[in-house]
Structure formats: C-alpha cells, structure tokens
Amino acid sequence: MAEITANIQVAPGIFRMSVAGAYAGKMGQFYMLRAWDKTPLLSRPISIYSLDAEEIHFLYQVVGEGTRILSMLQAGDEITLEGPFGNGFPELNGKVALVGGGIGIAPFYYALQSLPQADVYLGFSQKPYEVDHFKRITDRVTVNVGGHILDLVDYEAYDAIFVCGPNAMMQAAQRLNERWSGRNKVYVSLENRMACGVGACLVCSVGTTGGRKKSCVDGPVFAVEEVKSW
Amino acid sequence: MMDTTCHIAGIAFRNPIVMASGTFGFGHEYNRFYPLDRIGGFSGKGLTLHPKSGNEGLRSWETAAGMLNSVGLENPGIPAFLSTEAERWENYDVVRILNLGGSSLEDYERGAALIEEDYKHRQQRGKKAVDMIELNISCPNVKAGGMAYGIQTETARTVVGLVRKATTLPLIVKLSPNAEDIVSMALMCEEEGAEAVSLVNTFSAMKIDIYKRRSVFENSYAGLSGPAIKPIALRMVHQVCQSVHIPVMGLGGISSAEDILEFIMAGAEVVQVGTHNFVDLRAGENLSRDLENLMRQLGISSLKEIRGIV
Ligand SMILES: Cc1cc2nc3c(=O)[nH]c(=O)nc-3n(C[C@H](O)[C@H](O)[C@H](O)COP(=O)(O)OP(=O)(O)OC[C@H]3O[C@@H](n4cnc5c(N)ncnc54)[C@H](O)[C@@H]3O)c2cc1C
Ligand SMILES: Cc1cc2nc3c(=O)[nH]c(=O)nc-3n(C[C@H](O)[C@H](O)[C@H](O)COP(=O)(O)O)c2cc1C
Ligand code: FES
C-alpha cells in the first residue's frame, strides 16, 4: 500500500497521479495498479510517467471502470503498486526519436529524462496535454493535433525511433519501417491486455517472428519488424 | 501448533493451498515474490506433447466478479519442458503437479509415457521433478480434444484408462463443470484407478461485442473463472465428495481463507487457487497466513476436524 500525494486532471479525461515512495524502474517499464478490493477483478497496467527519489507519477486516460476509479482518488488515499514490470526501452546511443500518439505519450516523459538528447514528437487528436512538461527538458518537441504524427518524423534522420500509441499508429510505423528499412531501429510499446503481469497466464501473448512472446515480460517493447499479430 | 497438512496418494502437502494450472506459470514466475514453500503445491501450465501456440485474437475479457480466457493451451510442449523447466522443479520444496493436456488419445498417451520415462531417469539419479500428474480433459479453449474428452463419461474413460496405464505417478483427473454428469465422471475416474480428482475447470462462456456484432473471441467461446463461479463450483465439489472415496481437490473462484474452509467443509482434501493469483501476486503467502489465523479464530486445530462436515 502506498499513499497518493496528488491526482490531477490535466485535460478532459486525462489524469496525472503521484504516489509517495522510492520506486524503481527503467524507461518503458510499467506498474500494475490497484485501488479497489474485489471489483474490477484485475489490476491495471500503467507505464511509468516519471520517477524521482520520493515519488512515482502516472499519466492515464479514463477509458473504463478501473481508470474511472483511479480518477476519483484523492491525495491521502491508498493504492497498491506492483512492479516495475516489462523490459522497457533499450538503452541506445545515437539519435533517438520518441513518438507518442495520445495517451501513448505516457512512457516518453520518463524516457526523455533518460535520453535528454532525443527528439520528441507528440500527436493528439484533440487538445494537447503535458507538452509544457516535455518542453522543460528539451526544446526539440514537435506537436501535432488532428494529423498523423508519424508523417512529421524524418525516418532517415534517426538511429532509433520509439513509438507508442494506438495500434493503427504502430502498424503504420511497421509499414514505414518496411519501406525504409535503412539504418535505424524502430521499437513499439504494445498495449496488450494483461492479467498477471509477470509471465504466468499467457493472456498477453503476442505473435512474433521468433514465435509467441509474452508482452508483459518479453515486452511491452518490441522491435517493430518482430511483431506479427496486432 | 496448527495442523494444516493434507495427503493425497501418500504425498504430503504442507497446507491445502495448491496453485491452479495456467495461473501460476511454471512456478518461478511467483517464486520471485515469495518462497514457494509457503504453499502446499502448484500445478504447472498445461502441457501437450507438441508445442502449442494457443489462440489468436483477444485472450481475456473481464466480467462481473470473473474473467473469460481464451489462451488455448499455449505451451512449449512436454519434451521442451522436461529438458529445461523440470530442472528447476527438482529444487522446489512443494508438491509439483504436471498438468497434462492433449488433442488426441495418442498425444495424451505418448505425453504420459514421456513423463514416465523422465521420472524413471531422474529417480535413478535420486532426483524428482514431478510428484503427480493432473490430467486435463476439461480445457474449453481448444478446438480439437481438450474439453471434448471431458463431457461424456464413456469417452473420458478411454483417455483416463490409457494415461493410467502409461504412468506410475499418482494421477489426478481434472474435471470440467461442463460435463454431462460430473458425479458419474468422478466415479469413472475412481474406477479407472485415478488417485484423485480436481474440479472445476473453467465454465464455457461467451462475450458479444454488440457494435461489431460478433463474439470478442476468435473461438466464439471462452472459459469463465474467478469469484463468479465459486458457488457453482462449491456445489459440484460437494456432490462429488458425497460420491467418491478418492480425495478431491476443490477449486473455482477461491480468493480468501473463508473460501478455502468452505471447500474443505464440502469435503475437499486440498483446494486450488487460480485467478486470485492475478489479483494478488502474493496470494500463496497471504492465504496461508490468513488460513492459519482463521483456523485459530474458529478454534480449528486440524483440517481433519472439519473436512466434509457439511
Ligand atoms: C504495458 C502497458 C502500459 C500502459 N500504460 C498506460 C499509461 O501509461 N496510461 C494509460 O492511460 N493507459 C496505459 N495502458 C492502458 C491501460 O492499461 C488501460 O487503458 C486500462 O487497463 C483500462 O482499464 P479500465 O478498467 O479503465 O478499462 P476497461 O475497458 O473497463 O477494462 C477492461 C479490461 O481491459 C483491459 N484494457 C482495456 N483497455 C486496455 C488497453 N488500452 N491496454 C491494455 N489493456 C486494456 C483492462 O486492463 C481490463 O483488464 C497501458 C497498457 C499496457 C499493457
Ligand atoms: C488464464 C488461465 C489459463 C488456464 N490454463 C489452464 C491449463 O492450462 N490447464 C488447466 O487444467 N486449467 C487451466 N485453467 C483453469 C484453472 O486452472 C482453474 O481450473 C479455473 O481458472 C478455475 O479456478 P479459479 O476460479 O480459481 O481461477 C486456466 C485458467 C485461466 C484463468
Ligand atoms: S499478463 Fe500474464 S503472462 Fe503476461
């Protein structure tokens, strides 16, 4: 059990939650959150948005019952966190682009703290959020509203491109990767449904060129050319 | 001192808490969170003779107090398990149950034969990786075989008989709640020489996406587990305990020490805990502690005092 220190609405349906405690984690890893007893049954996977010595932060979108309960929590309320889980983004040298679509921007704020030299691309379908946050770390932030953020990324200019967003966006990244398949490496962070989060149930299984893999322990980050089932 | 030990076919369980197949990986996934010697045993992910990639598409859906899964027995196959994971099992100080699945009579039989061969080899080295086999004739998520064998008693008899002959390891048969007659199924297992039965597996169930006008699962149906099924599972365990003389492992929606005592009062020798492992990563450790506390509170010093009293 940990104590929530803040839970603020930053845009319609988008919340940023802070939890007290010294938590571990690499960029792209996630925690399983639970702030209820019996219902909903399962805990909810949420990426690390940011981390410091005293607090961990999550950025999440309200989509159903679990995230709705999360959004109603207030400073002083308790929450259970298990993690960090997952492989996270690879540590790379060279020129990196972080490309987030919608709530898919969530893992990239922490990634940017680890890779401050990276270029950031944030795509939104409606009013943007958290952009100021990113701009505090770097001035290389490109924002797009209502378009396709991937179109703004010069594929040839990067050694590595990390993508997180709706499946359609990550599939588009795969098609671009096939077209360019040049010098860069493209990675996507998948959002498969999870039950255990620790590699025991196979509910999160994803078809890859190397056979079936578990999104929760072998992922959520995969090289884009590896992913076969979306 | 509280006595929580249980016995099946001469094998001692430290306590009645056994983790259910498909919800506990191969054990090591949870050994990181608490030492496995807190629980009585575990049943590994269902294994088939050949590796299986499982079902395509969505694999889980949450329901009121439960979940549907359509994993479809994804597993590395028995030979791969025996040459890798089994090594780790040698060192676990809990009852290790190998859950055996299949899609044809031949696969079940050959699978059991491979396990038996491996068992003999290890025995020669003074080692043991597997204590019992749990024969799964009740998986609703595979198209061929699986539950098909677990519906009709006489069809199931053939599989149980073949596997019984293929192995000297204690045999538990895992029954489907979708069986035509669960009591006659359990009686058949006893007649065929099974040392125990476990019940229940998941209930065949469904979820429709009204916007897409189709089932959310590629396979149409999926298996329902979790607290939602507990009252029905408990009734079935009670019925079977009234009829057979072999021990029963009871499961279905167990998520608390109170639930465990209910199943034991219904007559179960041990219980299995499945979906609750997803709710609480430390379920084994927490339930063991809660069970001892509850027994103390209720003045129960041994499970024998209450087993089957209802
Ligand atoms: C590794 C990982 C990291 C994630 N990081 C974030 C994040 O930082 N911020 C954020 O807002 N969301 C994130 N998500 C998605 C988030 O987990 C879901 O939006 C959330 O579980 C929905 O729960 P609910 O109860 O509100 O929705 P419901 O639709 O009521 O949930 C029903 C079931 O579906 C699952 N589910 C629903 N939507 C998703 C989804 N998009 N991805 C995976 N499972 C889903 C739920 O976990 C639950 O089991 C992440 C998902 C994964 C797998
Ligand atoms: C994700 C998942 C995978 C499962 N895989 C298996 C399996 O491989 N073999 C098996 O015999 N039962 C399998 N089961 C069934 C469980 O072992 C158990 O019988 C069922 O979930 C009911 O118990 P519970 O309500 O405590 O979960 C699986 C269940 C779930 C939820
Ligand atoms: S969520 Fe259970 S194996 Fe990945």
Side-chain angles (χ1 to χ4, degrees):
Chain A
M1 286 287 221
E3 192 188 321
I4 292 168
T5 51
N7 193 24
I8 307 157
Q9 179 155 14
V10 297
I14 310 287
F15 289 76
R16 191 175 64 234
M17 179 192 282
S18 308
V19 180
Y23 288 91
K26 297 195 306 165
M27 55 175 174
Q29 288 191 306
F30 65 94
Y31 275 76
M32 295 293 277
L33 270 56
R34 186 173 190 89
W36 47 83
D37 183 20
K38 292 205 153 45
T39 33
L41 192 67
L42 303 173
S43 306
R44 300 303 194 238
I46 303 285
S47 306
I48 300 171
Y49 179 59
S50 166
L51 194 64
D52 52 51
E54 283 103 45
E55 282 181 328
I56 185 166
H57 310 271
F58 300 99
L59 186 73
Y60 61 95
Q61 181 167 23
V62 175
V63 299
E65 181 61 9
T67 46
R68 193 185 63 82
I69 297 176
L70 291 181
S71 75
M72 293 186 322
L73 299 170
Q74 295 176 352
D77 287 344
E78 304 246 278
I79 188 164
T80 304
L81 307 183
E82 293 284 2
F85 295 142
N87 57 355
F89 293 111
E91 303 272 350
L92 298 167
N93 294 319
K95 228 167 140 18
V96 179
L98 308 175
V99 190
I103 196 63
I105 68 167
F108 291 137
Y109 184 58
Y110 191 43
L112 184 60
Q113 290 173 317
S114 315
L115 298 167
Q117 81 285 4
D119 289 351
V120 183
Y121 296 84
L122 308 175
F124 301 90
S125 58
Q126 283 155 23
K127 200 172 160 300
Y129 43 83
E130 299 296 275
V131 173
D132 293 350
H133 255 77
F134 284 84
K135 286 191 171 158
R136 256 179 254 157
I137 304 181
T138 178
D139 51 11
R140 291 185 304 278
V141 181
T142 307
V143 178
N144 180 269
V145 181
H148 295 285
I149 188 73
L150 271 174
D151 295 347
L152 304 183
V153 183
D154 177 2
Y155 248 60
E156 297 279 279
Y158 295 99
D159 297 300
I161 303 174
F162 296 167
V163 185
C164 183
N167 265 356
M169 173 177 163
M170 295 192 285
Q171 279 167 289
Q174 191 173 50
R175 285 192 298 273
L176 280 172
N177 184 62
E178 276 163 22
R179 174 132 39 98
W180 291 108
S181 66
R183 63 192 195 96
N184 60 33
K185 262 323 245 170
V186 179
Y187 295 89
V188 287
S189 180
L190 301 186
E191 278 204 2
N192 287 16
R193 278 166 188 252
M194 293 182 181
C196 70
V198 298
C201 71
L202 303 175
V203 152
C204 67
S205 171
V206 48
T208 74
T209 49
R212 306 249 11 152
K213 292 196 174 170
K214 300 170 191 175
S215 193
C216 64
V217 292
D218 305 320
V221 177
F222 292 93
V224 76
E225 68 275 10
E226 216 190 323
V227 183
K228 277 179 33 184
S229 64
W230 289 92
Chain B
M1 215 6 225
M2 196 86 51
D3 183 10
T4 55
T5 54
C6 307
H7 295 86
I8 293 179
I11 290 168
F13 294 72
R14 183 174 293 111
N15 64 35
I17 299 163
V18 176
M19 295 317 184
S21 179
T23 67
F24 208 64
F26 289 118
H28 64 261
E29 291 86 349
Y30 288 92
N31 197 26
R32 293 164 48 204
F33 298 98
Y34 60 90
L36 295 186
D37 66 12
R38 297 293 147 86
I39 55 177
F42 70 87
S43 181
K45 173 65 202 168
L47 290 164
T48 50
L49 181 61
H50 304 292
K52 247 176 116 65
S53 62
N55 293 336
E56 294 295 329
L58 204 63
R59 286 188 170 190
S60 83
W61 191 271
E62 269 192 85
T63 70
M67 68 177 275
L68 296 168
N69 91 79
S70 179
V71 170
L73 270 185
E74 177 179 338
N75 79 90
I78 291 168
F81 168 82
L82 293 175
S83 62
T84 57
E85 291 286 344
E87 198 84 12
R88 252 196 286 220
W89 280 29
E90 284 185 353
N91 301 314
Y92 289 146
D93 179 22
V94 281
V95 178
R96 299 143 296 186
I97 303 170
L98 189 154
N99 183 274
L100 170 65
S103 42
S104 70
L105 289 176
E106 202 200 356
D107 281 4
Y108 273 115
E109 190 181 17
R110 282 179 51 206
L114 282 184
I115 298 162
E116 178 67 15
E117 210 177 287
D118 178 83
Y119 173 63
K120 294 261 163 66
H121 278 307
R122 281 179 215 269
Q123 222 175 16
Q124 281 166 7
R125 292 192 283 115
K127 304 265 187 199
K128 203 173 178 186
V130 174
D131 298 293
M132 328 179 106
I133 292 180
E134 179 175 52
L135 175 61
N136 174 11
I137 51 167
S138 45
C139 180
N141 294 328
V142 287
K143 283 209 184 82
M147 191 178 77
Y149 289 107
I151 301 289
Q152 291 167 327
T153 308
E154 290 316 307
T155 316
R157 188 186 295 278
T158 321
V159 191
V160 176
L162 279 175
V163 172
R164 173 68 296 171
K165 282 189 204 79
T167 180
T168 57
L169 278 157
L171 180 65
I172 311 157
V173 184
K174 184 160 177 180
L175 307 182
S176 167
N178 310 302
E180 280 176 352
D181 179 347
I182 199 146
V183 170
S184 80
M185 193 64 89
L187 286 168
M188 175 278 289
C189 296
E190 182 169 23
E191 281 162 26
E192 291 299 318
E195 270 82 6
V197 287
S198 55
L199 65 152
V200 295
N201 207 314
T202 54
F203 286 75
S204 179
M206 189 174 194
K207 165 70 192 175
I208 290 174
D209 181 335
I210 56 167
Y211 305 103
K212 294 186 185 154
R213 304 183 177 200
R214 57 180 290 265
S215 167
V216 300
F217 297 107
E218 303 275 314
N219 241 1
S220 297
Y221 308 140
L224 179 65
S225 65
I229 70 171
K230 202 202 84 184
I232 318 178
L234 184 64
R235 183 265 295 168
M236 290 181 158
V237 167
H238 186 256
Q239 279 181 317
V240 167
C241 289
Q242 304 292 307
S243 323
V244 297
H245 303 283
I246 50 176
V248 171
M249 293 181 147
L251 74 150
I254 292 176
S255 68
S256 67
E258 285 80 0
D259 292 346
I260 295 172
L261 287 190
E262 280 195 66
F263 276 80
I264 293 186
M265 287 188 187
E269 177 71 22
V270 300
V271 298
Q272 291 192 16
V273 174
T275 303
H276 187 60
N277 285 300
F278 309 153
V279 175
D280 179 5
L281 274 174
R282 295 174 183 77
E285 185 166 54
N286 290 336
L287 288 175
S288 318
R289 185 201 54 228
D290 293 351
L291 179 65
E292 290 197 15
N293 287 340
L294 184 61
M295 286 171 67
R296 203 167 292 125
Q297 196 186 320
L298 299 179
I300 301 165
S301 53
S302 160
L303 293 171
K304 290 189 197 81
E305 292 168 26
I306 55 155
R307 184 168 288 118
I309 58 166
V310 174

